Amino acid sequence: MPRPVHRAGRIIEIDDDVAEGAAWLAARDPRFADALERVGPLPLRRRADGFRALMGAIVSQQVSVAAASAILARCEAAGLDDPANVLTADDETLRACGLSRQKIRYLRALAAHGIDYEALRDGHTDEVVAVLTEVPGIGRWTAEIYAMFSLGHADVFAPNDLALQEGARMLLGLEERPKEKAMRAIAEEWSPWRAVAARLLWAYYAAEKKREGIR
């Protein structure tokens, strides 16, 4: 039975969806074919959506993965992964979890914003980005990553991501790392599978870093 057509286009739900997109990209551009042969099957990387997903994105800003994981674990243990509890918690309770003053402000704004997460599941990518970027602390990159991995949109890219820019520079043989505007234009060529192109570029960038011994 065919899947219903989503307003955002194809939705990546299973590994076969990623494989289909990768095959399309490889057939379109031999550089993608070479990269895919090198990095192997691409990961699905689907995540849950909702308040907790965006809370994790805010907590992870400008801290290490280990630090973010520890903060989130303390927040969850204190019941602060629920918007109602965030709104009623005092500053001392939130700070005890390791949250900075700025992140406390961002999380309260997110909790108070009343986002209809279920409705976002049916939204076009542009609508998702517009809704999420109304919240202080959530920029376009975070909104695009949310659409990509929490909602499974197949035709979304994050052109301001430095690893994607550098991966594109290396794979495409560009003299300079493309900035956001140029990267967005380049990625148009990879529609309707831009999210799979992103997965491939991230994997290629990681492989190149390892080969060159870059830390």
Side-chain angles (χ1 to χ4, degrees):
M1 182 176 180
R3 299 180 190 173
V5 177
H6 192 282
R7 292 180 61 222
R10 281 292 298 270
I11 298 298
I12 294 175
E13 296 176 337
I14 58 177
D15 288 316
D16 285 350
D17 296 327
V18 178
E20 180 183 346
W24 185 92
L25 290 164
R28 186 178 182 86
D29 191 327
R31 294 170 295 189
F32 274 126
D34 292 342
L36 189 61
E37 184 175 349
R38 178 176 177 189
V39 303
L42 301 174
L44 179 60
R45 296 181 70 172
R46 279 300 305 266
R47 306 170 185 167
D49 67 336
F51 177 81
R52 292 183 184 183
L54 291 171
M55 177 180 180
I58 289 172
V59 169
S60 299
Q61 292 172 4
Q62 299 179 325
V63 299
S64 68
V65 173
S69 296
I71 294 169
L72 284 169
R74 289 193 289 269
C75 288
E76 290 174 3
L80 296 173
D81 53 349
D82 179 271
N85 293 340
V86 170
L87 290 175
T88 57
D90 57 27
D91 286 359
E92 184 178 351
T93 299
L94 292 163
R95 283 198 301 267
C97 293
L99 294 166
S100 66
R101 180 181 301 175
Q102 184 181 59
K103 289 183 180 180
I104 289 173
R105 181 170 68 86
Y106 289 164
L107 286 178
R108 283 179 172 153
L110 175 63
H113 207 72
I115 295 173
D116 187 340
Y117 294 104
E118 186 172 347
L120 281 188
R121 295 173 187 169
D122 297 323
H124 188 275
T125 302
D126 290 342
E127 296 169 349
V128 172
V129 170
V131 168
L132 296 186
T133 53
E134 289 180 353
V135 181
I138 297 180
R140 188 175 183 90
W141 180 89
T142 298
E144 288 167 338
I145 293 297
Y146 182 88
M148 190 182 297
F149 295 127
S150 291
L151 300 179
H153 292 190
D155 198 25
V156 59
F157 201 74
N160 201 35
D161 187 279
L162 294 180
L164 290 182
Q165 292 173 359
E166 185 63 13
R169 182 194 68 79
M170 293 186 292
L171 182 64
L172 304 180
L174 305 176
E175 292 185 3
E176 297 181 349
R177 175 166 54 84
K179 301 297 189 291
E180 180 178 4
K181 183 177 180 180
M183 188 73 258
R184 193 176 295 278
I186 291 169
E188 289 289 341
E189 295 294 321
W190 306 328
S191 179
W193 291 105
R194 285 180 286 183
V196 177
R199 287 168 169 81
L200 202 159
L201 288 174
W202 274 315
Y204 182 76
Y205 172 71
E208 284 295 295
K209 280 184 62 178
K210 185 176 181 180
R211 182 180 67 84
E212 295 176 2
I214 301 173
R215 297 292 181 181

